[in-house]
C-alpha cells in the first residue's frame, strides 16, 4: 500500500471512529453533563454541528481543496466539485450526518479505485524489472568491468554471471546455461541455451557463466523495445475511452445546470403559479442528491482501468499490446491471415524423411552430411545438424559444387553425388520421385542410386491447435499466404486446418491479397495478419490488426505490428483474443450498469423518492462495483 493510500485509510478510520462516538453518545447527554439542565435547542443544534464538522473536515478537506484548485484553473466541473457542492449543501440544510457519509463513502470508493489501479499498474510495471542496470565487459586479464548497457558497442564480448539479467541481445560465444524467459514470454519453463544460440535482453541467467557477443545496441535490444511499447501503450485510447472523456466534459456541466434548475424552478413555480409553499429546502436537498447521483466516477474510472487491466493481463501471457485501441480492434477480428514460414512453421529446414535407400538410414545421412560438409548452404547445414556428430573432413576429397544442381565429392574414396533431380539427370542416374513436399536431396554412390533425403520446414507443434482455438472463438475464415510452391502450401494448410491458401506470392502480392480480403469483410469486422519477416512489415501495417512474432521476428515486423507475441507461439493469438473479448465485455458491462443505475436513481431523486443514501450508492457503490469488475481482467 502506498503512502497516499495509507493516509487515506487513516482518514477513513478516524472519520468512522468519530462518527461512531457521535452516534453512540448523544449530544444532549454531553451538554447536560457540561452545563447541567440549562441547555436549549439552539445550543444542542450548533454543538452537534460543531461535532460533525470535525469528521467532515478530516475526511473532506482534500476533496474540497481539489475542487477549489479546479475552480482556480477554470476547470471546475469534475467529481470533486460535485461532491463538495453536495456535501456543503447538506451541511447548510442541516443534514450533517449525510454530508459526512457522502465524503466518507466517496473516499472509500477512491481508496478501492487507487488499490485496483495500483494492482494493474504493478502488473505492467513489473515489466520494468527487465530493464538491465549494467553490463560486464571482460578485460584482457579476465577482470569484469561494470558499465552502463547503453555504452556497449555492437560486437562487444560481455559476460553474464548466474543470477544476472542479460543486458543486451547477443549470440553465445562460450558457456551454456538455463534462461528464465518468463518476463518476456510469460512461460515459466526455463530455456536451455548453448554456444551459437541467440539470447534476448531481459532474460535471467539461471545456472552457468556465459559470454556473448552483442548483436544490437542497447536501445534496439528486446528489453528496450518492450519497455518502449509498454510506456507508449496508454497514449492510444480505445473508442470507448475517448467517448467517456468527451462524455464527462459535456455531462458534468449539464447535470450541474439540471441540479440548479431542479433547486430553483419547481419551488418558484409552486410559489408564483400555484401560490403554495415553495419549500426551497426540500428542492435544494433533491438537487444536491441529484448531484451526488450524477457523478460520473464509475465511467471515468472503470473504463480506462478495464483497458489498462486488459493490457496487463495480455503482458502476463507474453503478449504485448501497443494500445487499448488495439484491444478493441482485436475483439472484433473475424478474419485471420497467416504468413507461413516462421509464423506457422519453424522457419528452419530439418530432415523430415529418408526414402528408397538400400543402405541404413543413418549411414545414408552420414554420407550425405560428409559430402555437404564444405558447404554453408541452408540445405547442407540441415544435413549436418541431422547427422549430429563431429564430421571428419579428412574423409572427404575432391569436392565440387555444381551451381543449381548440388555437390560432387569423394567420401572414403567413393564418388558421391548429392543434389536435386537435375544432378541425377546430368549424370544419367535413374532416381525415384518423392511424393512428399519439401526439398529432395537425391544421393548416388559410385553411379548407383542410394535413395533420397527429404528436407522441409517443420510445422510448429502448436499451430494446428491455435487455428482450431481461433475458430472456436468465432473466426469466420483463416487464410495463409506464402511464397512457397502450391503443393507445399496446400499440404501445410491442410495439416493446420486453414480454410484458404495462396502460394507463390511476392511481398507485394501479399499486400494485394490482403487488400482483396479486406474488401470482402463486413464493415464492423476486422482482419488480422500474423507475420514475422521483414517482408511482412507492409502487410502488418495494412491489416486492421498486425500481429508480429517477437522472439525471432524481424525488427521491421515488430515495429509495424500492433501486437507482439514474445515467444513466437501462435497459441498466444487465441489467448490475446480471449483477453480482448473479456476486456470489451467488462467495459460494456460497466457502461450499462453505471448508466442504468444512475438513470433510475436520477429519476427517483428528481421526484423526491431518493435520499442521500441512495445517492451515495449510485455514486460510490456503483464505482466500487465497476472497479472490482474491471480488475477481473487481470486474471492470467
Amino acid at each position: 500500500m502506498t503512502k497516499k493510500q495509507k493516509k487515506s485509510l487513516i482518514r477513513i478510520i478516524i472519520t468512522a471512529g468519530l462518527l461512531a462516538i457521535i452516534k453512540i453518545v448523544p449530544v444532549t447527554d454531553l451538554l447536560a453533563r457540561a452545563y447541567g439542565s440549562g441547555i436549549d435547542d439552539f445550543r444542542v443544534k450548533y454543538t452537534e454541528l460543531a461535532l460533525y464538522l470535525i469528521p467532515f473536515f478530516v475526511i473532506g478537506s482534500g476533496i474540497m481543496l481539489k475542487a477549489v484548485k479546479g475552480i482556480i484553473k477554470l476547470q471546475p466541473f469534475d467529481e470533486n466539485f460535485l461532491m463538495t457542492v453536495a456535501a456543503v449543501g447538506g451541511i447548510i440544510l442541516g443534514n450533517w450526518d449525510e454530508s459526512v457519509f457522502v465524503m466518507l463513502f466517496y473516499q472509500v470508493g477512491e481508496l478501492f479505485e487507487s488499490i485496483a489501479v495500483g494492482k494493474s499498474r504493478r502488473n505492467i510495471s513489473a515489466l520494468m524489472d527487465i530493464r538491465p542496470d549494467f553490463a560486464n565487459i571482460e578485460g584482457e586479464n579476465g577482470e569484469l568491468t561494470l558499465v552502463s548497457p547503453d555504452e556497449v558497442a555492437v560486437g562487444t564480448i560481455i559476460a553474464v554471471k548466474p543470477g544476472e539479467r542479460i543486458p543486451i541481445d547477443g549470440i553465445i560465444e562460450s558457456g551454456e546455461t538455463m534462461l528464465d524467459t518468463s518476463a518476456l514470454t510469460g512461460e515459466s519453463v526455463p530455456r536451455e541455451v548453448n554456444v551459437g544460440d541467440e539470447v534476448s535482453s531481459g532474460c535471467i541467467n539461471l545456472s552457468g557463466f556465459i559470454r556473448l557477443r552483442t548483436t544490437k545496441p542497447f536501445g534496439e535490444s528486446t528489453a528496450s523495445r518492450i519497455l518502449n511499447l509498454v510506456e507508449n501503450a496508454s497514449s492510444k485510447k480505445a473508442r470507448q475511452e475517448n467517448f467517456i472523456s468527451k462524455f464527462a466534459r459535456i455531462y458534468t456541466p449539464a447535470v450541474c445546470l439540471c441540479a440548479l434548475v431542479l433547486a430553483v424552478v419547481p419551488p418558484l413555480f409552486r410559489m408564483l403559479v400555484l401560490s403554495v409553499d415553495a419549500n426551497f429546502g426540500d428542492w435544494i436537498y433533491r438537487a444536491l442528491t441529484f448531484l451526488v447521483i450524477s457523478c460520473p466516477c464509475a465511467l471515468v474510472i472503470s473504463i480506462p482501468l478495464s483497458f489498462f487491466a486488459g493490457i496487463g493481463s495480455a503482458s502476463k501471457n507474453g503478449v504485448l499490446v501497443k494500445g487499448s485501441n488495439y484491444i478493441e480492434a482485436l475483439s472484433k477480428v473475424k478474419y485471420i491471415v497467416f504468413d507461413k514460414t516462421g509464423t506457422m512453421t519453424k522457419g528452419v529446414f530439418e530432415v523430415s524423411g529418408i526414402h528408397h535407400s538400400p543402405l541404413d538410414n543413418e549411414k545414408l545421412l552420414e554420407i550425405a552430411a560428409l559430402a555437404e560438409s564444405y558447404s554453408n548452404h541452408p540445405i547442407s547445414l540441415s544435413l549436418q545438424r541431422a547427422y549430429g556428430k563431429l564430421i571428419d573432413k579428412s574423409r572427404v576429397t575432391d569436392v565440387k559444387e555444381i551451381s543449381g544442381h548440388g555437390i560432387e565429392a569423394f567420401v572414403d574414396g567413393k564418388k558421391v553425388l548429392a543434389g536435386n533431380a537435375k544432378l541425377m539427370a546430368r549424370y544419367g542416374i535413374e532416381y525415384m520421385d518423392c511424393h512428399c513436399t519439401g526439398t529432395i536431396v537425391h544421393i548416388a554412390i559410385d553411379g548407383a542410386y542410394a535413395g533420397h533425403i527429404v528436407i522441409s520446414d517443420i510445422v510448429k507443434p502448436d499451430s494446428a491447435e491455435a487455428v482450431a482455438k481461433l475458430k472456436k472463438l468465432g473466426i469466420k475464415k483463416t487464410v495463409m499466404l506464402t511464397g512457397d510452391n502450391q503443393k507445399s502450401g496446400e499440404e501445410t494448410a491442410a495439416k493446420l486446418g486453414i480454410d484458404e491458401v495462396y502460394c507463390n506470392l511476392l511481398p507485394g502480392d501479399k499486400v494485394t491479397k490482403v487488400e482483396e480480403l479486406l474488401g470482402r469483410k463486413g464493415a464492423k469486422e476486422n482482419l488480422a495478419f500474423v507475420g514475422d519477416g521483414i517482408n511482412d512489415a507492409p502487410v502488418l501495417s495494412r491489416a486492421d490488426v498486425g500481429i508480429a512474432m517477437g522472439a525471432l521476428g524481424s525488427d521491421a515486423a515488430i515495429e509495424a505490428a500492433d501486437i507482439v507475441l514474445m515467444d513466437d507461439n501462435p497459441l498466444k493469438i487465441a489467448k490475446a483474443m480471449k483477453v480482448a473479448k473479456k476486456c470489451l465485455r467488462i467495459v460494456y458491462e460497466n457502461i450499462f450498469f453505471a448508466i442504468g443505475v444512475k438513470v433510475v436513481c436520477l429519476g427517483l431523486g428528481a421526484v423526491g423518492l431518493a435520499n442521500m443514501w441512495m445517492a451515495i450508492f449510485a455514486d460510490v457503490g456503483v464505482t466500487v462495483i465497476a472497479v472490482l469488475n474491471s480488475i477481473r481482467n487481470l486474471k492470467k
Side-chain angles (χ1 to χ4, degrees), residues 23-155:
K23 290 292 184 181
I24 292 170
V25 183
V27 174
T28 51
D29 290 351
L30 291 174
L31 290 174
R33 291 176 185 176
Y35 298 103
S37 57
I39 56 173
D40 52 32
D41 290 341
F42 178 83
R43 183 172 288 180
V44 169
K45 180 178 180 181
Y46 285 98
T47 302
E48 191 174 17
L49 170 60
L51 290 174
Y52 273 109
L53 284 178
I54 296 171
F56 179 79
F57 282 106
V58 168
I59 197 69
S61 57
I63 298 170
M64 291 186 286
L65 183 61
K66 289 178 184 177
V68 171
K69 288 180 178 178
I71 294 170
I72 294 171
K73 293 178 181 179
L74 301 180
Q75 295 176 340
F77 298 112
D78 61 9
E79 62 272 17
N80 296 301
F81 176 79
L82 296 181
M83 285 296 142
T84 299
V85 171
V88 172
I91 292 289
I92 294 171
L93 292 175
N95 299 301
W96 306 319
D97 54 350
E98 290 186 1
S99 293
V100 177
F101 275 108
V102 165
M103 288 295 196
L104 175 62
F105 284 113
Y106 180 72
Q107 285 282 32
V108 170
E110 288 279 288
L111 179 61
F112 266 99
E113 176 239 328
S114 176
I115 292 171
V117 171
K119 183 177 180 181
S120 179
R121 190 176 297 277
R122 282 194 303 275
N123 183 45
I124 291 184
S125 296
L127 282 170
M128 301 306 168
D129 292 339
I130 69 175
R131 188 189 298 277
D133 298 319
F134 61 88
N136 296 311
I137 295 181
E138 194 168 20
E140 294 180 1
N141 56 0
E143 291 185 0
L144 298 180
T145 304
L146 291 174
V147 299
S148 174
D150 54 13
E151 296 177 6
V152 179
V154 174

Side-chain angles (χ1 to χ4, degrees), residues 452-498:
H452 57 253
I453 299 171
V454 183
I455 298 173
S456 57
D457 189 4
I458 305 300
V459 171
K460 290 180 180 178
D462 297 320
S463 293
E465 185 184 353
V467 173
K469 285 191 172 183
L470 288 169
K471 288 183 176 180
K472 286 183 180 179
L473 286 172
I475 297 299
K476 289 183 177 180
K477 182 166 287 188
T478 54
V479 181
M480 189 171 74
L481 307 181
T482 177
D484 286 356
N485 60 62
Q486 195 73 28
K487 184 179 179 183
S488 175
E490 288 178 352
E491 184 176 288
T492 303
K495 283 182 183 177
L496 301 178
I498 289 176

Side-chain angles (χ1 to χ4, degrees), residues 503-580:
C503 306
N504 300 307
L505 299 177
L506 298 173
D509 299 330
K510 291 184 179 180
V511 176
T512 304
K513 186 57 65 176
V514 166
E515 293 274 6
E516 180 186 321
L517 294 168
L518 285 168
R520 293 188 204 169
K521 68 180 182 65
K524 294 184 179 181
E525 298 174 334
N526 283 343
L527 178 144
F529 178 82
V530 189
D532 73 308
I534 191 168
N535 61 336
D536 294 327
V539 202
L540 287 164
S541 298
R542 181 61 191 91
D544 295 318
V545 181
I547 303 174
M549 298 292 174
L552 298 177
S554 73
D555 291 350
I558 293 170
E559 289 299 320
D562 308 313
I563 295 170
V564 182
L565 311 181
M566 290 313 301
D567 65 352
D568 288 0
N569 188 341
L571 275 176
K572 293 292 175 71
I573 305 169
K575 284 189 177 182
M577 285 197 66
K578 283 183 179 179
V579 169

Side-chain angles (χ1 to χ4, degrees), residues 183-203:
L184 304 185
T185 66
E187 299 297 333
S188 57
V189 179
R191 171 190 164 203
E192 183 179 354
V193 291
N194 300 284
V195 173
D197 289 339
E198 292 187 13
V199 293
S200 299
S201 57
C203 298

Side-chain angles (χ1 to χ4, degrees), residues 355-356 431-437 440 442 452-454 487:
H355 304 148
H356 303 295
Y431 61 91
M432 300 289 291
D433 280 324
C434 186
H435 65 279
C436 297
T437 55
I440 311 301
H442 296 279
H452 57 253
I453 299 171
V454 183
K487 184 179 179 183

